[in-house]
Amino acid sequence: MISILIPTYNYQINTLVQEIHRQSKDLNIDFEIICLDDCSTIPQKDDSFKDLKNTELSYNQLNIGRTETRQLLAKKASFDWILFLDADVQPLNKNFISSYVKAIQHSAFDVCFGGFYYSDQLESNKFSLRWKYGRKKEMINAKERAKDPYKIIISANILLKKALFIDINSQLKGNFYGFDPIFGLHLKKRNATIHHIENPVLHLGLEDNETYLRKKEKAAEVVYHQLIKAKSFNVEGHDLIQAYSTLKTFNLLKVSASLFQFFKPILKKNLLSPSPSIFLLNLYRLGYLTSIKK
């Protein structure tokens, strides 16, 4: 029926696995939960969940990164439908697994995305950038997501066909932050059917502002090298690339890069503050993109 796959690195997953197992067992369906630790430096404080029926915890001998770890998990899966959950999420409702099972039984699709949720209250100002970006750009209801079905695809909570994932993931090179949009473009290229539903997970593992800003820089590098430079996709609708293309059309890439270097300290001061601007974050990403050495 369904293989639930949880890659983890330095994150405690007992609560997540216990809840997912309870929900799956109550449905009386064929299921398995496979957890793969990518050579964490912080051990699980409670790994008793591995003794639950149909549940497995194994370890990579070396840290191989997100992309390869997910590939190993998918190849281990016994069922044709796989549900990826990141270690730092928690289902928002008690019928989380049931909603995906019903989707499989009653709808025809290749991929089903349930959505993402961020808490209403910010735990600490040091997470303000990740929290604010998540609530504005990722916490989108299913109706809005369905208008542009390939645009918001977050692999931290995604149900899809095993063979499709293995095929696409094998073509992703490297282990960098920011591969989800590229995965979405691969799905679009294949005309894969995307089914958006309201079945969100709560994102718990927020990065601090400096860490998240570095991740957005890395994501911009992925965009440049794997999308702009490679020219292997129709990237219509990708906001960052659309802005980059506009600057390029008017020969403004060097101007943008120069302005970015001048204003970078001012932008960073805002983005690392308790009240960061997502508009300024978008300007920062564009400026950083135009500054990448060609």
Side-chain angles (χ1 to χ4, degrees), residues 211-242:
T211 299
Y212 188 60
L213 189 58
R214 286 197 298 271
K215 281 192 169 186
K216 299 306 281 187
E217 292 175 350
K218 291 295 183 183
E221 292 171 16
V222 169
V223 165
Y224 177 75
H225 291 292
Q226 303 217 16
L227 296 181
I228 294 174
K229 190 175 180 180
K231 297 180 181 179
S232 55
F233 293 100
N234 176 5
V235 293
E236 181 180 354
H238 193 294
D239 295 342
L240 185 59
I241 297 179
Q242 295 284 94

PDB file of all heavy atoms in Angstrom, residues 211-242:
ATOM      1  N   THR A 211      22.003  31.128   9.206  1.00  0.00           N
ATOM      2  CA  THR A 211      22.062  29.831   8.530  1.00  0.00           C
ATOM      3  C   THR A 211      21.107  29.796   7.343  1.00  0.00           C
ATOM      4  O   THR A 211      21.460  29.319   6.254  1.00  0.00           O
ATOM      5  CB  THR A 211      21.696  28.698   9.511  1.00  0.00           C
ATOM      6  OG1 THR A 211      22.637  28.693  10.591  1.00  0.00           O
ATOM      7  CG2 THR A 211      21.726  27.338   8.808  1.00  0.00           C
ATOM      8  N   TYR A 212      19.906  30.333   7.540  1.00  0.00           N
ATOM      9  CA  TYR A 212      18.924  30.294   6.455  1.00  0.00           C
ATOM     10  C   TYR A 212      19.343  31.196   5.299  1.00  0.00           C
ATOM     11  O   TYR A 212      19.163  30.837   4.128  1.00  0.00           O
ATOM     12  CB  TYR A 212      17.540  30.709   6.957  1.00  0.00           C
ATOM     13  CG  TYR A 212      16.475  30.501   5.912  1.00  0.00           C
ATOM     14  CD1 TYR A 212      16.219  29.239   5.401  1.00  0.00           C
ATOM     15  CD2 TYR A 212      15.741  31.575   5.414  1.00  0.00           C
ATOM     16  CE1 TYR A 212      15.247  29.036   4.427  1.00  0.00           C
ATOM     17  CE2 TYR A 212      14.764  31.380   4.439  1.00  0.00           C
ATOM     18  CZ  TYR A 212      14.533  30.108   3.959  1.00  0.00           C
ATOM     19  OH  TYR A 212      13.583  29.912   2.977  1.00  0.00           O
ATOM     20  N   LEU A 213      19.929  32.337   5.598  1.00  0.00           N
ATOM     21  CA  LEU A 213      20.381  33.220   4.531  1.00  0.00           C
ATOM     22  C   LEU A 213      21.482  32.549   3.714  1.00  0.00           C
ATOM     23  O   LEU A 213      21.509  32.662   2.482  1.00  0.00           O
ATOM     24  CB  LEU A 213      20.873  34.549   5.106  1.00  0.00           C
ATOM     25  CG  LEU A 213      21.182  35.651   4.084  1.00  0.00           C
ATOM     26  CD1 LEU A 213      19.950  35.965   3.230  1.00  0.00           C
ATOM     27  CD2 LEU A 213      21.675  36.915   4.783  1.00  0.00           C
ATOM     28  N   ARG A 214      22.380  31.831   4.387  1.00  0.00           N
ATOM     29  CA  ARG A 214      23.417  31.088   3.652  1.00  0.00           C
ATOM     30  C   ARG A 214      22.782  30.017   2.771  1.00  0.00           C
ATOM     31  O   ARG A 214      23.233  29.761   1.650  1.00  0.00           O
ATOM     32  CB  ARG A 214      24.415  30.453   4.630  1.00  0.00           C
ATOM     33  CG  ARG A 214      25.374  31.442   5.275  1.00  0.00           C
ATOM     34  CD  ARG A 214      26.569  30.742   5.890  1.00  0.00           C
ATOM     35  NE  ARG A 214      26.173  29.834   6.968  1.00  0.00           N
ATOM     36  CZ  ARG A 214      26.062  30.193   8.240  1.00  0.00           C
ATOM     37  NH1 ARG A 214      26.322  31.443   8.598  1.00  0.00           N
ATOM     38  NH2 ARG A 214      25.704  29.319   9.151  1.00  0.00           N
ATOM     39  N   LYS A 215      21.729  29.390   3.264  1.00  0.00           N
ATOM     40  CA  LYS A 215      21.037  28.378   2.463  1.00  0.00           C
ATOM     41  C   LYS A 215      20.390  28.994   1.224  1.00  0.00           C
ATOM     42  O   LYS A 215      20.384  28.386   0.150  1.00  0.00           O
ATOM     43  CB  LYS A 215      19.965  27.669   3.312  1.00  0.00           C
ATOM     44  CG  LYS A 215      20.520  26.607   4.235  1.00  0.00           C
ATOM     45  CD  LYS A 215      19.414  25.756   4.815  1.00  0.00           C
ATOM     46  CE  LYS A 215      19.958  24.541   5.525  1.00  0.00           C
ATOM     47  NZ  LYS A 215      18.882  23.622   5.974  1.00  0.00           N
ATOM     48  N   LYS A 216      19.851  30.192   1.365  1.00  0.00           N
ATOM     49  CA  LYS A 216      19.256  30.865   0.198  1.00  0.00           C
ATOM     50  C   LYS A 216      20.338  31.234  -0.812  1.00  0.00           C
ATOM     51  O   LYS A 216      20.090  31.231  -2.027  1.00  0.00           O
ATOM     52  CB  LYS A 216      18.477  32.111   0.633  1.00  0.00           C
ATOM     53  CG  LYS A 216      17.308  31.846   1.570  1.00  0.00           C
ATOM     54  CD  LYS A 216      16.338  30.827   1.004  1.00  0.00           C
ATOM     55  CE  LYS A 216      15.403  31.396  -0.028  1.00  0.00           C
ATOM     56  NZ  LYS A 216      14.363  30.429  -0.454  1.00  0.00           N
ATOM     57  N   GLU A 217      21.533  31.553  -0.340  1.00  0.00           N
ATOM     58  CA  GLU A 217      22.644  31.799  -1.252  1.00  0.00           C
ATOM     59  C   GLU A 217      23.003  30.523  -2.013  1.00  0.00           C
ATOM     60  O   GLU A 217      23.204  30.548  -3.235  1.00  0.00           O
ATOM     61  CB  GLU A 217      23.855  32.305  -0.464  1.00  0.00           C
ATOM     62  CG  GLU A 217      23.671  33.691   0.127  1.00  0.00           C
ATOM     63  CD  GLU A 217      24.822  34.123   1.009  1.00  0.00           C
ATOM     64  OE1 GLU A 217      25.684  33.266   1.324  1.00  0.00           O
ATOM     65  OE2 GLU A 217      24.886  35.299   1.394  1.00  0.00           O
ATOM     66  N   LYS A 218      23.067  29.411  -1.296  1.00  0.00           N
ATOM     67  CA  LYS A 218      23.369  28.131  -1.941  1.00  0.00           C
ATOM     68  C   LYS A 218      22.286  27.771  -2.952  1.00  0.00           C
ATOM     69  O   LYS A 218      22.567  27.240  -4.036  1.00  0.00           O
ATOM     70  CB  LYS A 218      23.503  27.023  -0.893  1.00  0.00           C
ATOM     71  CG  LYS A 218      24.727  27.149   0.006  1.00  0.00           C
ATOM     72  CD  LYS A 218      26.012  26.992  -0.802  1.00  0.00           C
ATOM     73  CE  LYS A 218      27.237  27.035   0.087  1.00  0.00           C
ATOM     74  NZ  LYS A 218      28.491  26.943  -0.709  1.00  0.00           N
ATOM     75  N   ALA A 219      21.029  28.073  -2.593  1.00  0.00           N
ATOM     76  CA  ALA A 219      19.921  27.787  -3.507  1.00  0.00           C
ATOM     77  C   ALA A 219      20.050  28.610  -4.784  1.00  0.00           C
ATOM     78  O   ALA A 219      19.745  28.134  -5.881  1.00  0.00           O
ATOM     79  CB  ALA A 219      18.588  28.069  -2.814  1.00  0.00           C
ATOM     80  N   ALA A 220      20.506  29.855  -4.662  1.00  0.00           N
ATOM     81  CA  ALA A 220      20.715  30.696  -5.840  1.00  0.00           C
ATOM     82  C   ALA A 220      21.822  30.114  -6.727  1.00  0.00           C
ATOM     83  O   ALA A 220      21.735  30.164  -7.961  1.00  0.00           O
ATOM     84  CB  ALA A 220      21.075  32.123  -5.416  1.00  0.00           C
ATOM     85  N   GLU A 221      22.839  29.546  -6.110  1.00  0.00           N
ATOM     86  CA  GLU A 221      23.909  28.905  -6.883  1.00  0.00           C
ATOM     87  C   GLU A 221      23.380  27.691  -7.643  1.00  0.00           C
ATOM     88  O   GLU A 221      23.757  27.445  -8.797  1.00  0.00           O
ATOM     89  CB  GLU A 221      25.051  28.496  -5.947  1.00  0.00           C
ATOM     90  CG  GLU A 221      25.787  29.690  -5.349  1.00  0.00           C
ATOM     91  CD  GLU A 221      26.766  29.286  -4.267  1.00  0.00           C
ATOM     92  OE1 GLU A 221      27.097  28.086  -4.192  1.00  0.00           O
ATOM     93  OE2 GLU A 221      27.186  30.154  -3.476  1.00  0.00           O
ATOM     94  N   VAL A 222      22.494  26.935  -6.996  1.00  0.00           N
ATOM     95  CA  VAL A 222      21.866  25.792  -7.670  1.00  0.00           C
ATOM     96  C   VAL A 222      21.047  26.268  -8.858  1.00  0.00           C
ATOM     97  O   VAL A 222      21.081  25.683  -9.943  1.00  0.00           O
ATOM     98  CB  VAL A 222      20.982  25.001  -6.681  1.00  0.00           C
ATOM     99  CG1 VAL A 222      20.117  23.979  -7.417  1.00  0.00           C
ATOM    100  CG2 VAL A 222      21.851  24.291  -5.650  1.00  0.00           C
ATOM    101  N   VAL A 223      20.289  27.359  -8.667  1.00  0.00           N
ATOM    102  CA  VAL A 223      19.491  27.923  -9.758  1.00  0.00           C
ATOM    103  C   VAL A 223      20.383  28.307 -10.928  1.00  0.00           C
ATOM    104  O   VAL A 223      20.066  28.013 -12.089  1.00  0.00           O
ATOM    105  CB  VAL A 223      18.698  29.158  -9.262  1.00  0.00           C
ATOM    106  CG1 VAL A 223      18.160  29.970 -10.435  1.00  0.00           C
ATOM    107  CG2 VAL A 223      17.550  28.718  -8.363  1.00  0.00           C
ATOM    108  N   TYR A 224      21.508  28.939 -10.633  1.00  0.00           N
ATOM    109  CA  TYR A 224      22.382  29.371 -11.728  1.00  0.00           C
ATOM    110  C   TYR A 224      22.983  28.186 -12.477  1.00  0.00           C
ATOM    111  O   TYR A 224      22.875  28.089 -13.701  1.00  0.00           O
ATOM    112  CB  TYR A 224      23.502  30.274 -11.217  1.00  0.00           C
ATOM    113  CG  TYR A 224      24.441  30.665 -12.339  1.00  0.00           C
ATOM    114  CD1 TYR A 224      24.065  31.607 -13.284  1.00  0.00           C
ATOM    115  CD2 TYR A 224      25.673  30.029 -12.493  1.00  0.00           C
ATOM    116  CE1 TYR A 224      24.895  31.925 -14.351  1.00  0.00           C
ATOM    117  CE2 TYR A 224      26.511  30.342 -13.555  1.00  0.00           C
ATOM    118  CZ  TYR A 224      26.108  31.295 -14.481  1.00  0.00           C
ATOM    119  OH  TYR A 224      26.926  31.596 -15.540  1.00  0.00           O
ATOM    120  N   HIS A 225      23.605  27.286 -11.747  1.00  0.00           N
ATOM    121  CA  HIS A 225      24.365  26.212 -12.395  1.00  0.00           C
ATOM    122  C   HIS A 225      23.471  25.144 -13.021  1.00  0.00           C
ATOM    123  O   HIS A 225      23.807  24.589 -14.072  1.00  0.00           O
ATOM    124  CB  HIS A 225      25.325  25.574 -11.393  1.00  0.00           C
ATOM    125  CG  HIS A 225      26.447  26.479 -10.992  1.00  0.00           C
ATOM    126  ND1 HIS A 225      27.444  26.854 -11.865  1.00  0.00           N
ATOM    127  CD2 HIS A 225      26.719  27.103  -9.818  1.00  0.00           C
ATOM    128  CE1 HIS A 225      28.293  27.662 -11.249  1.00  0.00           C
ATOM    129  NE2 HIS A 225      27.874  27.832 -10.012  1.00  0.00           N
ATOM    130  N   GLN A 226      22.324  24.863 -12.396  1.00  0.00           N
ATOM    131  CA  GLN A 226      21.505  23.752 -12.887  1.00  0.00           C
ATOM    132  C   GLN A 226      20.313  24.201 -13.728  1.00  0.00           C
ATOM    133  O   GLN A 226      19.692  23.367 -14.394  1.00  0.00           O
ATOM    134  CB  GLN A 226      21.031  22.900 -11.708  1.00  0.00           C
ATOM    135  CG  GLN A 226      22.191  22.371 -10.886  1.00  0.00           C
ATOM    136  CD  GLN A 226      21.951  20.974 -10.371  1.00  0.00           C
ATOM    137  OE1 GLN A 226      21.081  20.253 -10.819  1.00  0.00           O
ATOM    138  NE2 GLN A 226      22.748  20.587  -9.393  1.00  0.00           N
ATOM    139  N   LEU A 227      20.009  25.484 -13.709  1.00  0.00           N
ATOM    140  CA  LEU A 227      18.876  25.946 -14.515  1.00  0.00           C
ATOM    141  C   LEU A 227      19.303  26.982 -15.553  1.00  0.00           C
ATOM    142  O   LEU A 227      19.121  26.782 -16.748  1.00  0.00           O
ATOM    143  CB  LEU A 227      17.783  26.529 -13.610  1.00  0.00           C
ATOM    144  CG  LEU A 227      17.118  25.545 -12.648  1.00  0.00           C
ATOM    145  CD1 LEU A 227      16.045  26.249 -11.834  1.00  0.00           C
ATOM    146  CD2 LEU A 227      16.527  24.359 -13.386  1.00  0.00           C
ATOM    147  N   ILE A 228      19.884  28.079 -15.102  1.00  0.00           N
ATOM    148  CA  ILE A 228      20.256  29.150 -16.034  1.00  0.00           C
ATOM    149  C   ILE A 228      21.385  28.703 -16.959  1.00  0.00           C
ATOM    150  O   ILE A 228      21.288  28.802 -18.184  1.00  0.00           O
ATOM    151  CB  ILE A 228      20.664  30.421 -15.262  1.00  0.00           C
ATOM    152  CG1 ILE A 228      19.450  30.995 -14.520  1.00  0.00           C
ATOM    153  CG2 ILE A 228      21.254  31.457 -16.215  1.00  0.00           C
ATOM    154  CD1 ILE A 228      19.772  32.168 -13.621  1.00  0.00           C
ATOM    155  N   LYS A 229      22.454  28.191 -16.378  1.00  0.00           N
ATOM    156  CA  LYS A 229      23.610  27.797 -17.173  1.00  0.00           C
ATOM    157  C   LYS A 229      23.318  26.568 -18.028  1.00  0.00           C
ATOM    158  O   LYS A 229      23.712  26.495 -19.195  1.00  0.00           O
ATOM    159  CB  LYS A 229      24.799  27.525 -16.248  1.00  0.00           C
ATOM    160  CG  LYS A 229      26.118  27.344 -16.968  1.00  0.00           C
ATOM    161  CD  LYS A 229      27.246  27.196 -15.951  1.00  0.00           C
ATOM    162  CE  LYS A 229      28.583  27.003 -16.642  1.00  0.00           C
ATOM    163  NZ  LYS A 229      29.688  26.859 -15.663  1.00  0.00           N
ATOM    164  N   ALA A 230      22.588  25.599 -17.470  1.00  0.00           N
ATOM    165  CA  ALA A 230      22.309  24.358 -18.187  1.00  0.00           C
ATOM    166  C   ALA A 230      21.283  24.535 -19.299  1.00  0.00           C
ATOM    167  O   ALA A 230      21.305  23.826 -20.299  1.00  0.00           O
ATOM    168  CB  ALA A 230      21.827  23.292 -17.202  1.00  0.00           C
ATOM    169  N   LYS A 231      20.349  25.480 -19.107  1.00  0.00           N
ATOM    170  CA  LYS A 231      19.295  25.739 -20.097  1.00  0.00           C
ATOM    171  C   LYS A 231      18.550  24.453 -20.489  1.00  0.00           C
ATOM    172  O   LYS A 231      18.225  24.226 -21.647  1.00  0.00           O
ATOM    173  CB  LYS A 231      19.886  26.380 -21.369  1.00  0.00           C
ATOM    174  CG  LYS A 231      20.530  27.736 -21.137  1.00  0.00           C
ATOM    175  CD  LYS A 231      21.088  28.308 -22.442  1.00  0.00           C
ATOM    176  CE  LYS A 231      21.749  29.651 -22.214  1.00  0.00           C
ATOM    177  NZ  LYS A 231      22.331  30.219 -23.462  1.00  0.00           N
ATOM    178  N   SER A 232      18.270  23.641 -19.483  1.00  0.00           N
ATOM    179  CA  SER A 232      17.667  22.342 -19.771  1.00  0.00           C
ATOM    180  C   SER A 232      16.177  22.292 -19.498  1.00  0.00           C
ATOM    181  O   SER A 232      15.546  21.262 -19.709  1.00  0.00           O
ATOM    182  CB  SER A 232      18.369  21.259 -18.931  1.00  0.00           C
ATOM    183  OG  SER A 232      18.327  21.592 -17.555  1.00  0.00           O
ATOM    184  N   PHE A 233      15.604  23.412 -19.041  1.00  0.00           N
ATOM    185  CA  PHE A 233      14.194  23.429 -18.710  1.00  0.00           C
ATOM    186  C   PHE A 233      13.514  24.675 -19.250  1.00  0.00           C
ATOM    187  O   PHE A 233      14.142  25.716 -19.433  1.00  0.00           O
ATOM    188  CB  PHE A 233      13.983  23.417 -17.180  1.00  0.00           C
ATOM    189  CG  PHE A 233      14.398  22.146 -16.511  1.00  0.00           C
ATOM    190  CD1 PHE A 233      15.617  22.065 -15.860  1.00  0.00           C
ATOM    191  CD2 PHE A 233      13.585  21.031 -16.529  1.00  0.00           C
ATOM    192  CE1 PHE A 233      16.006  20.912 -15.232  1.00  0.00           C
ATOM    193  CE2 PHE A 233      13.964  19.859 -15.904  1.00  0.00           C
ATOM    194  CZ  PHE A 233      15.180  19.797 -15.255  1.00  0.00           C
ATOM    195  N   ASN A 234      12.219  24.551 -19.454  1.00  0.00           N
ATOM    196  CA  ASN A 234      11.375  25.718 -19.635  1.00  0.00           C
ATOM    197  C   ASN A 234      11.052  26.234 -18.244  1.00  0.00           C
ATOM    198  O   ASN A 234      10.292  25.599 -17.504  1.00  0.00           O
ATOM    199  CB  ASN A 234      10.097  25.341 -20.390  1.00  0.00           C
ATOM    200  CG  ASN A 234       9.135  26.517 -20.514  1.00  0.00           C
ATOM    201  OD1 ASN A 234       9.448  27.638 -20.112  1.00  0.00           O
ATOM    202  ND2 ASN A 234       7.964  26.259 -21.051  1.00  0.00           N
ATOM    203  N   VAL A 235      11.638  27.339 -17.869  1.00  0.00           N
ATOM    204  CA  VAL A 235      11.528  27.816 -16.487  1.00  0.00           C
ATOM    205  C   VAL A 235      10.501  28.936 -16.344  1.00  0.00           C
ATOM    206  O   VAL A 235      10.560  29.735 -15.417  1.00  0.00           O
ATOM    207  CB  VAL A 235      12.904  28.289 -15.955  1.00  0.00           C
ATOM    208  CG1 VAL A 235      13.845  27.121 -15.827  1.00  0.00           C
ATOM    209  CG2 VAL A 235      13.495  29.354 -16.864  1.00  0.00           C
ATOM    210  N   GLU A 236       9.561  28.991 -17.258  1.00  0.00           N
ATOM    211  CA  GLU A 236       8.508  29.996 -17.164  1.00  0.00           C
ATOM    212  C   GLU A 236       7.781  29.853 -15.833  1.00  0.00           C
ATOM    213  O   GLU A 236       7.390  28.760 -15.433  1.00  0.00           O
ATOM    214  CB  GLU A 236       7.514  29.815 -18.317  1.00  0.00           C
ATOM    215  CG  GLU A 236       6.394  30.842 -18.325  1.00  0.00           C
ATOM    216  CD  GLU A 236       5.429  30.639 -19.474  1.00  0.00           C
ATOM    217  OE1 GLU A 236       5.701  29.759 -20.331  1.00  0.00           O
ATOM    218  OE2 GLU A 236       4.415  31.331 -19.510  1.00  0.00           O
ATOM    219  N   GLY A 237       7.619  30.958 -15.151  1.00  0.00           N
ATOM    220  CA  GLY A 237       6.940  30.931 -13.865  1.00  0.00           C
ATOM    221  C   GLY A 237       7.885  30.874 -12.678  1.00  0.00           C
ATOM    222  O   GLY A 237       7.459  31.030 -11.543  1.00  0.00           O
ATOM    223  N   HIS A 238       9.189  30.663 -12.924  1.00  0.00           N
ATOM    224  CA  HIS A 238      10.170  30.679 -11.846  1.00  0.00           C
ATOM    225  C   HIS A 238      10.546  32.140 -11.593  1.00  0.00           C
ATOM    226  O   HIS A 238      11.257  32.755 -12.379  1.00  0.00           O
ATOM    227  CB  HIS A 238      11.402  29.859 -12.245  1.00  0.00           C
ATOM    228  CG  HIS A 238      12.334  29.557 -11.105  1.00  0.00           C
ATOM    229  ND1 HIS A 238      13.034  30.541 -10.450  1.00  0.00           N
ATOM    230  CD2 HIS A 238      12.666  28.387 -10.497  1.00  0.00           C
ATOM    231  CE1 HIS A 238      13.777  30.001  -9.506  1.00  0.00           C
ATOM    232  NE2 HIS A 238      13.567  28.691  -9.513  1.00  0.00           N
ATOM    233  N   ASP A 239      10.060  32.692 -10.498  1.00  0.00           N
ATOM    234  CA  ASP A 239      10.152  34.139 -10.251  1.00  0.00           C
ATOM    235  C   ASP A 239      11.579  34.661 -10.296  1.00  0.00           C
ATOM    236  O   ASP A 239      11.854  35.714 -10.888  1.00  0.00           O
ATOM    237  CB  ASP A 239       9.516  34.476  -8.898  1.00  0.00           C
ATOM    238  CG  ASP A 239       8.020  34.191  -8.869  1.00  0.00           C
ATOM    239  OD1 ASP A 239       7.431  34.074  -9.959  1.00  0.00           O
ATOM    240  OD2 ASP A 239       7.459  34.075  -7.772  1.00  0.00           O
ATOM    241  N   LEU A 240      12.506  33.941  -9.661  1.00  0.00           N
ATOM    242  CA  LEU A 240      13.886  34.416  -9.593  1.00  0.00           C
ATOM    243  C   LEU A 240      14.519  34.439 -10.977  1.00  0.00           C
ATOM    244  O   LEU A 240      15.193  35.403 -11.355  1.00  0.00           O
ATOM    245  CB  LEU A 240      14.692  33.527  -8.645  1.00  0.00           C
ATOM    246  CG  LEU A 240      16.136  33.947  -8.374  1.00  0.00           C
ATOM    247  CD1 LEU A 240      16.194  35.353  -7.780  1.00  0.00           C
ATOM    248  CD2 LEU A 240      16.820  32.946  -7.441  1.00  0.00           C
ATOM    249  N   ILE A 241      14.283  33.396 -11.762  1.00  0.00           N
ATOM    250  CA  ILE A 241      14.872  33.339 -13.103  1.00  0.00           C
ATOM    251  C   ILE A 241      14.210  34.347 -14.030  1.00  0.00           C
ATOM    252  O   ILE A 241      14.865  34.937 -14.895  1.00  0.00           O
ATOM    253  CB  ILE A 241      14.770  31.910 -13.676  1.00  0.00           C
ATOM    254  CG1 ILE A 241      15.575  30.954 -12.797  1.00  0.00           C
ATOM    255  CG2 ILE A 241      15.285  31.863 -15.109  1.00  0.00           C
ATOM    256  CD1 ILE A 241      15.540  29.521 -13.252  1.00  0.00           C
ATOM    257  N   GLN A 242      12.928  34.575 -13.847  1.00  0.00           N
ATOM    258  CA  GLN A 242      12.237  35.581 -14.653  1.00  0.00           C
ATOM    259  C   GLN A 242      12.849  36.961 -14.427  1.00  0.00           C
ATOM    260  O   GLN A 242      13.080  37.718 -15.375  1.00  0.00           O
ATOM    261  CB  GLN A 242      10.747  35.611 -14.304  1.00  0.00           C
ATOM    262  CG  GLN A 242       9.982  34.342 -14.649  1.00  0.00           C
ATOM    263  CD  GLN A 242       9.687  34.208 -16.136  1.00  0.00           C
ATOM    264  OE1 GLN A 242      10.444  33.572 -16.863  1.00  0.00           O
ATOM    265  NE2 GLN A 242       8.608  34.801 -16.578  1.00  0.00           N
TER     266      GLN A 242
END
